[in-house]
């Protein structure tokens, strides 16, 4: 959107500069005038990366500069369509008596740059670092100044990267983009399900496949649970990629409604591939993974699960069921533990209708 400002936040080293350099090159090749201002690296280093990414020939205007006044002077002369500033934490204004990266500097510089974008009609993209404590360098202070806030996420050691909008004045916020980081840079993953399913074929006990929806696209993802004998008095509960309060709730529902006891067991839950799931529809898949681990019995082959679990143990319908089932069918799954579907919702996947969590436990040969 012309005359708008976008903030891209992400952990150090996740690939923000790579993403934006590739985006800059792609836009420049389409005839847009793009300025890439870096305060993090020398021009030669950016050029070196551009060579590795195959972007060196794109006509991107590159500048290594951190002085806000000089940046603005340059931009006013160049009048680019797109301005990328990598990162806002390195820019400083001489009127502000504080070190670069401090809240005062970040706010002042972001304000000036956004003003330039609004006046000139340029698209401004700011990179912001997220620190562990999320305070000093965190882009939070800038979030209300910009039109869109996008996070670039990825688990350390995993090649997958997810671009997720958390605020967007001119478009939807529930879309994600999935990329893989390879030697030549970031490559779009048009079919993310394959990434998050882990190895295909026989699944171990404790593994369930959740038929999820991220934004408008269906994503199948493996959820792994491990309920291990606890060696200590207070059992551990550890979660990666899901909400720990939600796990506690599902465990309580399984204990109370199905008589399945997790007392004296450490419970670990992990979403494969470094994806973070926020959908309540994952409840049923999590419950299936937990039961499977507790009973040490693999789930039925070729089976997915989705559905929201209420405190009463009832399983509520999830939105976009048709999309979930279609994706499951596409990837060769044959059945689904899910709330009963409307008549005529025909797919190749057989729905094993579950209206209460105890029915799931019974189907898996567990519970009272
Ligand atoms: N030669 C290379 N081959 C393959 N991957 C590389 C290579 N060099 C860097 N990378 C990948 O790129 C990542 C760094 O990307 P990038 O510099 O874009 O991240 P960033 O988010 O901008 O980091 P920073 O917070 O330091 O600015 C590395 O973690 C690594 O995975
Ligand atoms: Mg960088």
């Amino acid at each position: 959107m012309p005359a708008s400002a976008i903030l891209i936040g992400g952990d150090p080293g996740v690939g923000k500069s790579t993403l934006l350099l590739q985006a800059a090159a792609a836009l420049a090749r389409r005839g847009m005038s793009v300025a890439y201002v870096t305060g993090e690296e020398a021009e030669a280093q950016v050029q070196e990366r551009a060579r590795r990414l195959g972007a060196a020939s794109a006509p991107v205007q590159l500048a290594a500069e951190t002085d806000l006044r000089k940046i603005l002077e340059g931009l006013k002369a160049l009048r680019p369509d797109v301005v990328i500033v990598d990162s806002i934490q390195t820019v400083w204004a001489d009127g502000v008596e504080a070190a670069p990266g401090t809240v005062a500097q970040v706010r002042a510089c972001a304000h000036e740059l956004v003003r330039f974008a609004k006046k000139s009609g340029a698209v401004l993209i700011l990179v912001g670092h997220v620190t562990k404590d999320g305070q000093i360098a965190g882009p939070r202070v800038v979030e209300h100044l910009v039109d869109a806030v996008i996070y670039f996420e990825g688990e350390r050691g995993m090649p997958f990267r997810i671009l997720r909008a958390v605020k967007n004045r001119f478009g939807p916020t529930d879309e994600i983009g999935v990329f893989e980081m390879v030697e030549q840079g970031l490559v779009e993953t048009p079919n993310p399900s394959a990434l998050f399913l882990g190895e295909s074929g026989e699944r171990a006990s404790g593994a369930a496949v959740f038929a999820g929806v991220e934004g408008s696209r269906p994503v199948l993802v493996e959820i792994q649970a491990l309920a291990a004998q606890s060696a200590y008095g207070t059992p551990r509960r550890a979660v990666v990629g899901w909400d720990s309060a939600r796990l506690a709730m599902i465990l309580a529902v399984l204990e109370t409604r199905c008589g399945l006891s997790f007392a004296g067991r450490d419970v670990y839950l992990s979403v494969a591939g470094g994806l973070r799931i926020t959908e309540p529809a994952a409840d049923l898949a999590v419950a299936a993974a937990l039961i499977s681990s507790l009973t040490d019995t693999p789930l039925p082959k070729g089976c997915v699960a989705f559905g929201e679990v209420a405190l009463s143990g009832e399983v509520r319908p999830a939105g976009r069921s048709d999309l979930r089932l279609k994706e499951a069918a596409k990837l060769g799954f044959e059945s689904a533990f899910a709330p009963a579907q409307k008549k005529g919702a025909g797919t190749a996947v057989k729905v094993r209708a579950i209206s209460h969590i105890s029915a799931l436990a019974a189907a898996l040969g567990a519970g009272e």
Side-chain angles (χ1 to χ4, degrees):
M1 177 67 73
S4 73
I6 301 165
L7 175 69
I8 296 200
D11 290 334
V14 74
K16 302 177 293 295
S17 304
T18 306
L19 177 75
L20 290 177
L21 196 57
Q22 285 183 263
L27 291 170
R29 286 200 175 112
R30 285 199 192 172
M32 284 188 156
S33 126
V34 184
Y36 187 103
V37 183
T38 175
E40 307 249 317
E41 291 144 314
E43 266 178 56
Q45 289 169 329
V46 178
Q47 271 155 359
E48 176 56 38
R49 176 183 294 129
R51 258 193 296 281
R52 174 164 59 88
L53 303 177
S57 63
V60 175
Q61 294 286 334
L62 189 62
E65 184 58 74
T66 56
D67 181 345
L68 179 68
R69 197 156 40 85
K70 290 203 184 125
I71 293 173
L72 287 172
E73 272 168 19
L75 292 178
K76 274 169 191 153
L78 194 66
R79 304 210 119 261
D81 302 312
V82 179
V83 183
I84 295 166
V85 177
D86 187 1
S87 68
I88 188 63
Q89 273 93 18
T90 56
V91 183
W92 56 276
D94 54 9
V96 179
E97 291 281 328
T102 51
V103 173
Q105 278 287 8
V106 166
R107 188 187 290 135
C109 294
H111 182 78
E112 284 301 310
L113 287 164
V114 170
R115 221 165 62 118
F116 168 79
K118 298 282 169 190
K119 263 167 74 178
S120 71
V123 176
L124 172 71
I125 303 176
L126 299 174
V127 172
H129 292 295
V130 184
T131 53
K132 280 273 173 325
D133 51 332
Q135 283 187 345
I136 310 147
R140 299 230 151 238
V141 285
V142 197
E143 283 185 0
H144 70 278
L145 285 176
V146 296
D147 301 300
V149 178
I150 297 173
Y151 275 88
F152 201 38
E153 310 166 342
E155 283 294 320
R156 208 157 271 287
M158 295 278 188
F160 321 126
R161 300 284 181 272
I162 292 160
L163 200 58
R164 189 191 296 273
V166 296
K167 160 179 169 177
N168 193 356
R169 283 191 184 140
F170 307 116
T173 51
D174 56 359
E175 291 298 331
I176 61 164
V178 183
F179 301 87
E180 195 174 346
M181 177 72 93
V182 300
E183 173 85 32
Q184 292 75 28
L186 292 155
V187 192
E188 195 197 345
T189 304
N191 175 19
S193 293
L195 287 183
F196 302 122
L197 275 183
E199 75 288 353
S200 56
E202 208 75 13
R203 262 166 232 289
S205 65
V209 176
F210 168 49
V213 174
E214 290 281 350
S216 58
R217 66 167 101 188
V219 179
L220 297 198
V221 51
E222 186 177 273
I223 291 179
Q224 300 155 359
L226 181 66
Q229 277 310 334
S230 180
Y232 304 100
T234 318
R236 273 184 61 111
R237 307 287 188 241
V239 187
V240 178
W242 209 49
D243 183 26
S244 53
R246 199 103 195 156
L247 171 65
M249 187 200 104
I250 298 294
L251 287 172
V253 171
L254 285 172
E255 300 214 16
T256 317
R257 310 293 174 195
C258 311
L260 296 173
S261 175
F262 288 86
R265 287 184 183 259
D266 294 333
V267 177
Y268 302 92
L269 190 84
S270 166
V271 177
L275 191 66
R276 211 189 63 226
I277 298 179
T278 51
E279 265 196 295
D283 291 352
L284 200 63
V286 170
L290 288 168
I291 295 172
S292 162
S293 175
L294 188 69
T295 58
D296 196 18
T297 313
L299 292 171
K301 236 179 125 230
C303 186
V304 300
F306 62 89
E308 182 179 348
V309 175
L311 288 177
S312 62
E314 261 167 89
V315 180
R316 300 216 180 100
R320 316 282 253 300
S321 296
D322 50 334
L323 205 60
R324 300 171 199 271
L325 291 170
K326 226 184 267 166
E327 178 78 355
K330 205 173 91 188
L331 287 158
F333 287 86
E334 287 147 14
S335 64
F337 287 120
Q341 301 298 307
K342 284 192 212 86
K343 280 234 154 47
T347 56
V349 173
K350 180 172 161 281
V351 174
R352 308 168 180 227
I354 302 286
S355 58
H356 195 273
I357 189 92
S358 55
L360 177 72
L364 299 177
E368 292 165 336

